[in-house]
Amino acid sequence: MHNKHRLGLALGSGAARGLAHIGVLKVLEEANIPIDIITGTSIGALIGAMYASGVPVVQMEQVALEIDWRSMAKLLDPVIPISGLTDGKKLVAFMAELLPAREFKDLRQPLAVTATDINTGEAIIIKQGDLLEALRASLAFPGIFPPVRFGQRFLVDGGLCKPLPTDVARHLGAEKVVGVCTIPAVIKKPPETFLPSIHGHSKTIKRWRDFFSASRIEQAFRSVLGHEIEETNDDAQEHQKTPNIFRVCAQSVAIMENVINELHLNQNPHDLILRPELDGITLLEFHRAEEIIAAGEASARAALPKLKYLLNTA
């Protein structure tokens, strides 16, 4: 199939949820839809780089299906925590095994990956030079991996400021831009109104105390992340464990990405957004790769008629 318009594919962040990008690529290949330009953030940068390097989608899928908690742990090489819990050397070695290309100039398609300047908050677009270092920067999850030095800048995960780089694809020359967003949409709940109790003061005090309890704050985080709020009783609240450092970092970044992503989608032009159904899948559940990839496939298949029309109309 030959497109009338240059197609730019923007692959967003999302940690484990980003494995859905593999399913999308699988469907596009089956439909013989060529991708002219790829942009990626975080996990989207890695998968985009693999595709642009010529790694077969079936191989990407096989690698993803082999990931479990044990293999994930092997990629972490703990160090004395100064700016991160691990120095990321094993992650770089893992990427080096996956990628045939070492520099951007060796890729089949133009690729740009995004990172964030930890000092200024700027979005940094990397499209030339050392591919592995660029990916290491785009994947540098705050608190887990240390910032990566690029000249005078220190770069971390691109999802902090540009979770879905649709605008970057347009900048690189794409005429039609399709984004793959694996961050669940923010579900807005009606705000709770605090009014004095007509029948007594004690109920109002209890209501405020319950609202600011640890379980309610946890529920608020889940609602921002797009998860269902679960009712908890007093016994369950007492037995809740304090979130570990991985959960704290993951949830904090996810909350920021949700808000930034919604603003980004509203402000940056795009032609089509694919949003796989990933409710209930958390950022670190790489062991659920099969269903995540299947969700990516389903979203792409559902959008194929619209995508073909988009690419082949004047």
Side-chain angles (χ1 to χ4, degrees), residues 120-132:
T120 67
E122 294 174 90
I124 305 300
I125 313 302
I126 309 172
K127 54 184 179 179
Q128 60 185 8
D130 190 317
L131 180 60
L132 291 177

Side-chain angles (χ1 to χ4, degrees), residues 74-92:
K74 289 180 180 178
L75 296 180
L76 302 176
D77 36 352
V79 294
I80 297 174
I82 297 175
S83 55
L85 292 178
T86 175
D87 62 16
K89 289 181 180 177
K90 288 185 178 179
L91 176 62
V92 173

Side-chain angles (χ1 to χ4, degrees), residues 167-182:
D167 56 331
V168 179
R170 189 83 68 186
H171 176 73
L172 289 184
E175 296 169 309
K176 299 294 181 180
V177 176
V178 175
V180 185
C181 179
T182 61

Side-chain angles (χ1 to χ4, degrees), residues 293-304:
I293 293 171
E297 284 188 54
S299 68
R301 289 192 199 285
L304 268 181

Side-chain angles (χ1 to χ4, degrees), residues 30-50:
E30 289 174 359
N32 294 314
I33 296 176
I35 302 167
D36 301 295
I37 292 165
I38 303 176
T39 60
T41 293
S42 197
I43 183 72
L46 175 57
I47 292 174
M50 290 173 69

